[in-house]
Structure formats: structure tokens, C-alpha cells
Amino acid sequence: MIKITSLKEEFCNRFGCDGFVYAAPGRINLIGEHTDYNGGFVLPGAVEQSIVAVIKPNGSKRVNAYACDMQMQYGFDIDDPTGPEPVHARYVYGVVREMMSAGVKVEGFDVVYGGDVPLGAGMSSSAALECCFAMAMNEIFKGGLDRMTLARIGQATEHKYIGVKCGIMDQFASMHGRRGALMRLDCRNGEFEYFPWKPVGYRLVLVNSCVKHELVGSPYNERRESCERVAELAGVETLRDCTWEQLDALKLRLSETDYRRARYVLGEADRVRNVCDAMQCGDFEAIGEQMYLTHEGLSKDYEVSCDEIDFLVEVARQCGVTGSRIMGGGFGGCTVNLVKDEMYDNFVSTAVQAYKTRFGIDCTIIPVVIGDGARRILD
Ligand code: GLA
């Protein structure tokens, strides 16, 4: 758990002792990967790992920020049309500018922030950062925007200021999370419902490979472009509306790569449906089976896995883990594993040891606790 007292102390030393405290979490996703920007369904939940900000308006037009984890101090004027260059600063600048475009009367503020969402792990540390600031500014400057609008502001920040054409899943989950519940979101119309997550006899655990092969957002954006090309040829708005028959009819007009990517997306839509059915009757074995299939699709068809992650999924399979797959955008990060209680200890120690032997890297084990969404933290 992140140490809020040390962030408050840092704020106190730099800016005075009366800041407001806001937090927004990272997320896991049970299933429904790369479906959000295709208008499909996702099944995420917020986690306890969060970004926390201590923040206070300063009566000027300037933002003075200190990012504790990077020991990085930076500032910008809210009216500056270009903003700061460091990527990390651009997240905060982007949220400020998007809030202003949405009509919120943002003013300057002082802020100290930090968190315990591992970076590059596929747990959406950047969405947590965006949502934490969007939530704080909305309340402090009385923006009156609802949570979905704030989530979209986070997404727009990724698109316009970072260059990652992400879907809405991460920011949605960070904003709407609820302790003990996953959420099924229809990414086409924003409707969602909470699903209590009580996997009696099983637990979810992340294994963080601690590798990240993607340097910028481009491989992610390329996947999205493939999907959009296929949707256009099929004459539908997004792949959500493309049937297997339509896809097969198009096969000869598509590049091999585009065809495989679209095939993954259609398959994943089926798997999300299967998992929702399995959840209704508590069939965790069926859920696990779909998770392995998702991994196969993400690895072979969508090509967003890597050797390290494929290895961790294979170790899970050999240990008898119920379900295992790469989580999030891909190219490294975590596997999400559905494990029977009695197999947990053996799986964790085997994975740590085998991974170290094979790659010389210590992976980290992150037990999943489904937590609440973005909020103000009162003393
Ligand atoms: C990243 C993006 C999300 C989503 C996932 C893949 O986390 O930010 O919008 O597309 O990848 O499911």
C-alpha cells in the first residue's frame, strides 16, 4: 500500500500543510483484451495499487508538480498551448488542458504525487495518473463532470498528448471500480454492470515479467489500424458488428496480418460472452479455459506477447493453473492467473524459480485485490 503520510510530508515541506488527497487505482482485466477500441465488451476491475496526489490550488495560472517516484520536479502554465516536453509531465498537462476544453475553470495548483502501480506492467499506471488528476481537478474547481466524462478526458490525453490511441477500458475501470466487483462494460455505448467477483476456492494473481518491449505506442496503434481497415472493408463501424461470415468473405482482400488480427478480435468477443455465462454459474474451470485461449490468440494472431510472457503462461499450464494469459496492451508486463487455492504456493514458487533460471530476471508476484475507483481520501 502506498504511503500517503510520506506524500503529505513531502507536500508539507514544499508547499505548506493543507493539501487535499486524491487517489485513483490501476486495473486488472479478466477477459476482453483489445476489444474496447473495437466497440466490444471488457471485464476489468480496479485494484488496490493506486496513484495518490496531494494537491492544492495556488491562486496563479501555474502548475508546480513533484513526482515522488521519479524525484522529478516540473511546472507549466495552464495557458501554455504547447506544454512541457517530458512524457511524464505531458499526462498532467494533457488532463489540465482537456478539463479546460470541457469547460472546467481550472486554475494553477501545487501537487506532489506518487504511487504503487508498477510501471509497464499492463496495470494501467498512466490511466491511474490521468484519473487521479481528473478527479481532483473536477472536485477542486467544481467542474461537475460525471465519471464517464472524466474517463474520456483521460483517454483523450493519451490520444492527443501521448500518441497512444487507446480504448476506454483503463480509464473507465480506474473511475468506476468497486471493491469486490468486476465490471462488464459495453464499450460501444458506455453501459456497464457490476459483477461480484467471489472466486471461492480460487484466486487471481499477477506475475509481472518485469520486461517491456514496447518503446512507444506505435505497435499498439498499428493493431488498432488493422482493425479499422477490416471494419471499413466489411462496411461496419467497428469489428463489434462484423460477423464471422463477413470476415471470411473478405479474407482474400485482406493482408494475412489484418485477417489474423480481426480473427482474434471476433474470437475474443465470443470468449467474453462465454466467460460472462460461466461467471453466472460459478464455473471457474470454463473461465480458465477461455483465458488460455485468449492468450493463444494474443500471442499467435494478434502478436502482442513475447518470449518471457509465453514462458510464464506455459509454466502456469504445467503447474495445473486453471487459466493464464497476458494482460493489458501487451509486449511484456504481467500474466493474469486464475489459480486453485491448493495450487497457489507451488505455482508461485515454481514460476519465480523457472523464470529466473530461464531469463535471469526476478519476476514479481502480485495477489489481486479488487478495490475502489478514483476518490478523495479524507483523514
Ligand atoms: C491498453 C489500452 C486499453 C486496451 C488494452 C488492451 O491497456 O489502454 O484501452 O485496449 O490495452 O485490452
Side-chain angles (χ1 to χ4, degrees):
M1 185 62 190
I2 168 159
K3 292 188 193 69
I4 295 177
T5 34
S6 64
L7 287 174
K8 279 170 130 178
E9 261 171 45
E10 187 71 47
F11 187 85
C12 208
N13 292 336
R14 288 171 180 270
F15 303 116
C17 294
D18 47 354
F20 305 105
V21 184
Y22 283 86
R27 59 109 190 88
I28 57 123
N29 185 26
L30 185 62
I31 202 147
E33 220 66 89
H34 292 276
T35 47
D36 56 357
Y37 52 82
N38 286 300
F41 288 89
V42 290
L43 214 61
V47 290
E48 291 209 313
Q49 288 82 356
S50 300
I51 299 288
V52 176
V54 186
I55 180 168
K56 188 180 71 171
N58 60 21
S60 77
K61 293 274 180 202
R62 189 147 183 93
V63 170
N64 304 306
Y66 182 69
C68 276
D69 304 329
M70 285 156 215
Q71 300 182 347
M72 179 177 139
Q73 187 181 327
Y74 63 90
F76 57 83
D77 289 336
I78 59 171
D79 294 326
D80 176 357
T82 31
E85 261 178 27
V87 174
H88 195 73
R90 295 198 66 72
Y91 286 104
V92 175
Y93 172 74
V95 174
V96 166
R97 299 291 289 181
E98 288 301 302
M99 296 289 289
M100 289 164 73
S101 307
V104 180
K105 296 198 169 30
V106 178
E107 294 185 14
F109 54 84
D110 300 331
V111 64
V112 166
Y113 62 96
D116 59 354
V117 190
L119 298 179
M123 292 175 71
S124 300
S125 54
S126 57
L129 179 64
E130 292 146 12
C131 290
C132 182
F133 275 85
M135 188 76 195
M137 279 183 242
N138 190 46
E139 291 197 354
I140 291 171
F141 301 115
K142 306 202 180 339
L145 302 177
D146 62 31
R147 284 177 182 262
M148 194 58 106
T149 307
L150 296 176
R152 294 207 188 284
I153 281 174
Q155 183 192 24
T157 299
E158 297 275 353
H159 285 210
K160 296 189 207 165
Y161 302 84
I162 308 296
V164 178
K165 303 284 180 199
C166 65
I168 192 64
M169 169 169 73
D170 304 351
Q171 293 79 6
F172 162 82
S174 185
M175 275 294 168
H176 294 84
R178 183 183 285 178
R179 182 162 299 275
L182 298 181
M183 299 161 280
R184 186 180 62 180
L185 170 69
D186 181 338
C187 299
R188 181 161 62 185
N189 59 17
E191 282 172 15
F192 64 96
E193 58 184 309
Y194 290 96
F195 275 75
W197 175 247
K198 290 199 198 81
V200 181
Y202 296 80
R203 44 188 118 156
L204 277 180
V205 61
L206 308 180
V207 180
N208 186 356
S209 68
C210 296
V211 298
K212 192 71 189 168
H213 296 294
E214 181 194 14
L215 296 178
V216 281
S218 63
Y220 179 93
N221 294 347
E222 282 163 22
R223 304 298 182 285
R224 184 173 183 153
E225 284 157 20
S226 285
C227 295
E228 287 169 357
R229 265 195 302 275
V230 178
E232 197 181 331
L233 277 174
V236 292
E237 200 178 317
T238 61
L239 284 186
R240 155 81 174 262
D241 296 314
C242 182
T243 62
W244 284 107
E245 291 72 31
Q246 276 171 309
L247 180 61
D248 278 342
L250 278 180
K251 190 170 178 183
L252 295 177
R253 295 169 61 202
L254 300 176
S255 71
E256 230 258 85
T257 307
D258 282 0
Y259 174 74
R260 271 191 286 111
R261 289 176 180 170
R263 177 169 73 185
Y264 161 77
V265 171
L266 266 62
E268 186 69 349
D270 293 343
R271 287 185 288 273
V272 175
R273 257 191 304 277
N274 295 340
V275 165
C276 289
D277 291 346
M279 273 172 78
Q280 305 280 11
C281 49
D283 186 348
F284 294 104
E285 294 302 311
I287 294 174
E289 224 170 273
Q290 299 298 303
M291 290 169 74
Y292 278 117
L293 290 173
T294 289
H295 185 75
E296 211 174 294
L298 285 169
S299 179
K300 304 220 170 77
D301 277 352
Y302 221 61
E303 296 177 297
V304 291
S305 188
C306 57
D307 289 348
E308 292 88 344
I309 293 279
D310 287 347
F311 179 83
L312 286 172
V313 170
E314 203 38 52
V315 171
R317 199 190 295 276
Q318 280 166 18
C319 288
V321 167
T322 304
S324 179
R325 66 176 192 80
I326 189 171
M327 188 181 77
F331 312 103
C334 288
T335 58
V336 55
N337 304 274
L338 181 62
V339 195
K340 275 203 176 109
D341 285 341
E342 61 268 29
M343 293 188 173
Y344 184 84
D345 290 343
N346 175 55
F347 166 55
V348 164
S349 58
T350 308
V352 169
Q353 222 167 42
Y355 191 68
K356 178 81 176 180
T357 308
R358 172 74 176 75
F359 294 102
I361 303 171
D362 292 309
C363 57
T364 51
I365 304 298
I366 309 174
V368 172
V369 179
I370 305 291
D372 283 318
R375 64 204 177 275
R376 178 165 174 204
I377 297 193
L378 298 164
D379 289 330

